Amino acid sequence: MSKKATSSKRERDPAATRQRLIDATVRLMLQQGFSGTSVDQICKEAGMTKGGFFHHFENKEALGTAAVEWWGQMGTALYAEAWKDTALDPLDQLRRMFDIMIGFTRRPDEAACVCMVGMMSQEMSATNPAFQAACEKELNLWTTNVARMLTAAKKLHKPETKFDPVQVAWFLNSLWQGSMLVGKTCRSQELIRHNIKLARAYVEGLFQTN
Amino acid sequence: MSKKATSSKRERDPAATRQRLIDATVRLMLQQGFSGTSVDQICKEAGMTKGGFFHHFENKEALGTAAVEWWGQMGTALYAEAWKDTALDPLDQLRRMFDIMIGFTRRPDEAACVCMVGMMSQEMSATNPAFQAACEKELNLWTTNVARMLTAAKKLHKPETKFDPVQVAWFLNSLWQGSMLVGKTCRSQELIRHNIKLARAYVEGLFQTN
DNA sequence: TTGGACATACAAACCGGTCGGTATGTAATG
DNA sequence: CATTACATACCGACCGGTTTGTATGTCCAA
């Protein structure tokens, strides 16, 4: 039995504190980017002082990679709904994925539909090898899953159209990232949704039999 | 005293100096982003001191918007080869545009195939209204031109497939931006080229008659 | 001589990161 | 159970360096 509730007024929960720092980082970075967000700002957002911060992370870069990884886990959890059910027709898995993406544009909690991996890629991947590797890993993960579904769908439905599942997967990933980029600048979630619908129609077209 | 021949080694050419600053900014920003590039660094790159810099630009933000505008002009000049010839079949104009994009991935002068508008969009458009507006303007310009060609091609070829030229134009713009983003992080220009080829095939497919 | 085009020097804020110190939890010992 | 010993979690002042921006001086062409 643990009686942690009774004992102290101040709760010492290092794992939760660390997560609070990551959450604050994600929140601020989605808005301001990495260079534009200072450690002081993150600490304030997380209700923590700088001394405490550097107890949990070696430096700002370590926090950045942790935030990217965390974002990747969030994404995987988000798409899991579409990917996990391996008994399903892979083409239906892809359809579910598009639904999830459209749902992502409708989140009420965040103002814009943005991706931390995409932001970090643009800002840092050319200069910071650690960030570049972290972002590439996440992009690869998404593409690999989509390519897997496309390959399975190809085997199942034997479409007339010839295409390389990996190339199409990168095509869709690029479109998804670019849609969030353009959607942010043009302040239009609907633009993103239109793109997703066109992407969905594109995939359907690949498997359409005349 | 010093030899002050009629045309001394130090040329006073404010317009050229201003352009040198912009060029240096573009060069550095493509690599490091906006926040990651300091005014000192820009001055050094342009062979100029800070006092001189602030004589030409009110502040760093003014330089940033000037750099985005300059990038936009470069882009327009680049695509002009495809867009200018209004006598040409608009579908051929689009084909030329894809060729130009593929050519852009093969530039030897720059390490990576990147877009300043896309970088600035991701990093700054959520927090800086001036940058947001400048980037949106450039994105709109590209899309408008593509939509114009698609509309003209539609009128000329009367394809069976139904599509909205504006939506398709945004689709292509998003794909283009996303391709450069992903291509940078995955360090693959070939990935970008594959995406462009798929995009070209997509457009051809829109106008294909069975 | 006057004003634009630069250079030099400096300011004030801010940056990431360190450091000494303290509060708190835990485990061994007697 | 009480004491001691030590590790972890966190605080807040502080450091050296960098940031954008300013104030002032100098040179040169018209």
Side-chain angles (χ1 to χ4, degrees):
Chain A
M1 61 157 78
S2 64
K3 42 187 172 182
K4 56 176 70 172
T6 59
S7 56
S8 79
K9 50 189 169 184
R10 176 193 305 280
E11 299 188 16
R12 283 172 80 93
D13 192 341
T17 302
R18 193 188 138 96
Q19 190 55 48
R20 245 171 47 227
L21 285 167
I22 292 178
D23 288 344
T25 304
V26 169
R27 223 173 303 136
L28 290 170
M29 275 191 55
L30 288 180
Q31 193 76 9
Q32 313 172 348
F34 183 74
S35 300
T37 304
S38 72
V39 174
D40 278 319
Q41 213 174 344
I42 292 165
C43 291
K44 191 175 177 183
E45 174 87 6
M48 159 111 354
T49 55
K50 199 140 60 166
F53 170 84
F54 282 100
H55 173 75
H56 289 280
F57 294 96
E58 189 186 348
N59 48 32
K60 195 188 175 188
E61 178 181 301
L63 173 69
T65 53
V68 170
E69 279 171 22
W70 172 249
W71 182 265
Q73 289 174 23
M74 291 282 291
T76 301
L78 184 72
Y79 294 120
E81 187 66 30
W83 295 346
K84 65 178 180 189
D85 193 350
T86 49
L88 203 65
D89 181 338
L91 197 52
D92 283 328
Q93 289 185 341
L94 283 165
R95 292 186 181 114
R96 280 196 189 178
M97 188 189 73
F98 286 122
D99 288 335
I100 290 171
M101 287 158 69
I102 286 183
F104 190 71
T105 70
R106 294 209 156 96
R107 287 180 312 159
D109 53 313
E110 298 284 338
C113 167
V114 289
C115 174
M116 241 200 70
V117 175
M119 291 184 64
M120 198 69 123
S121 286
Q122 281 285 41
E123 188 182 349
M124 305 298 295
S125 70
T127 49
N128 189 309
F131 290 153
Q132 181 271 331
C135 290
E136 183 174 1
K137 187 183 153 198
E138 301 300 334
L139 292 175
N140 265 319
L141 183 63
W142 196 92
T143 306
T144 303
N145 272 298
V146 173
R148 182 178 47 71
M149 290 185 280
L150 284 169
T151 304
K154 205 173 170 181
K155 180 169 286 185
L156 181 64
H157 298 284
K158 304 190 188 306
E160 299 172 2
T161 313
K162 287 196 188 306
F163 64 91
D164 176 3
V166 174
Q167 275 186 27
V168 172
W170 281 114
F171 180 85
L172 294 173
N173 197 352
S174 300
L175 175 75
W176 179 218
Q177 286 293 337
S179 297
M180 289 186 280
L181 187 157
V182 174
K184 173 163 67 173
T185 297
C186 295
R187 302 177 180 284
S188 169
Q189 317 274 89
E190 197 173 2
L191 188 155
I192 305 177
R193 266 172 247 134
H194 281 146
N195 280 349
I196 297 170
K197 283 172 189 167
L198 286 177
R200 159 184 266 151
Y202 173 75
V203 171
E204 298 283 357
L206 289 178
F207 289 94
Q208 206 163 15
T209 55
N210 297 339
Chain B
M1 308 286 287
S2 61
K3 39 262 177 184
K4 43 176 181 177
T6 52
S7 70
S8 82
K9 56 175 64 176
R10 174 188 303 284
E11 298 187 18
R12 286 173 78 93
D13 190 342
T17 303
R18 191 188 141 94
Q19 191 55 47
R20 247 172 45 229
L21 285 167
I22 292 178
D23 288 343
T25 304
V26 170
R27 221 172 305 133
L28 290 170
M29 275 191 55
L30 287 181
Q31 192 76 10
Q32 311 170 350
F34 184 74
S35 300
T37 305
S38 71
V39 174
D40 278 320
Q41 211 176 347
I42 291 165
C43 292
K44 191 175 179 183
E45 175 87 5
M48 159 108 355
T49 55
K50 201 141 55 166
F53 169 84
F54 281 100
H55 173 74
H56 288 282
F57 294 96
E58 190 186 348
N59 49 31
K60 194 188 174 187
E61 179 181 303
L63 173 68
T65 54
V68 169
E69 279 170 21
W70 171 249
W71 182 263
Q73 289 174 23
M74 291 282 292
T76 301
L78 185 72
Y79 294 120
E81 186 66 30
W83 296 345
K84 66 179 180 188
D85 194 350
T86 49
L88 202 66
D89 181 339
L91 197 52
D92 283 328
Q93 290 185 341
L94 283 165
R95 292 187 180 111
R96 280 197 189 178
M97 188 189 73
F98 286 123
D99 288 336
I100 290 171
M101 287 159 68
I102 286 181
F104 190 72
T105 71
R106 294 209 157 95
R107 287 180 312 159
D109 52 313
E110 298 285 338
C113 166
V114 288
C115 175
M116 240 199 70
V117 175
M119 291 183 65
M120 198 68 122
S121 286
Q122 281 285 40
E123 188 182 349
M124 306 297 295
S125 71
T127 48
N128 189 310
F131 291 153
Q132 182 270 331
C135 290
E136 182 175 2
K137 188 183 152 197
E138 301 302 332
L139 292 175
N140 264 319
L141 183 63
W142 196 91
T143 305
T144 302
N145 272 299
V146 173
R148 181 181 46 72
M149 290 185 280
L150 284 169
T151 302
K154 204 173 171 181
K155 180 169 286 184
L156 181 64
H157 297 284
K158 303 192 188 308
E160 300 173 0
T161 313
K162 289 197 188 305
F163 64 91
D164 176 3
V166 175
Q167 276 186 26
V168 172
W170 281 115
F171 179 86
L172 293 173
N173 197 351
S174 300
L175 176 75
W176 180 217
Q177 286 293 338
S179 296
M180 289 186 280
L181 188 158
V182 174
K184 172 162 68 173
T185 297
C186 296
R187 302 177 181 285
S188 168
Q189 316 274 89
E190 197 172 2
L191 188 155
I192 305 177
R193 264 172 247 134
H194 281 147
N195 280 348
I196 297 171
K197 284 172 188 167
L198 286 178
R200 160 185 263 148
Y202 172 75
V203 171
E204 298 283 358
L206 289 177
F207 289 94
Q208 205 163 16
T209 54
N210 297 337

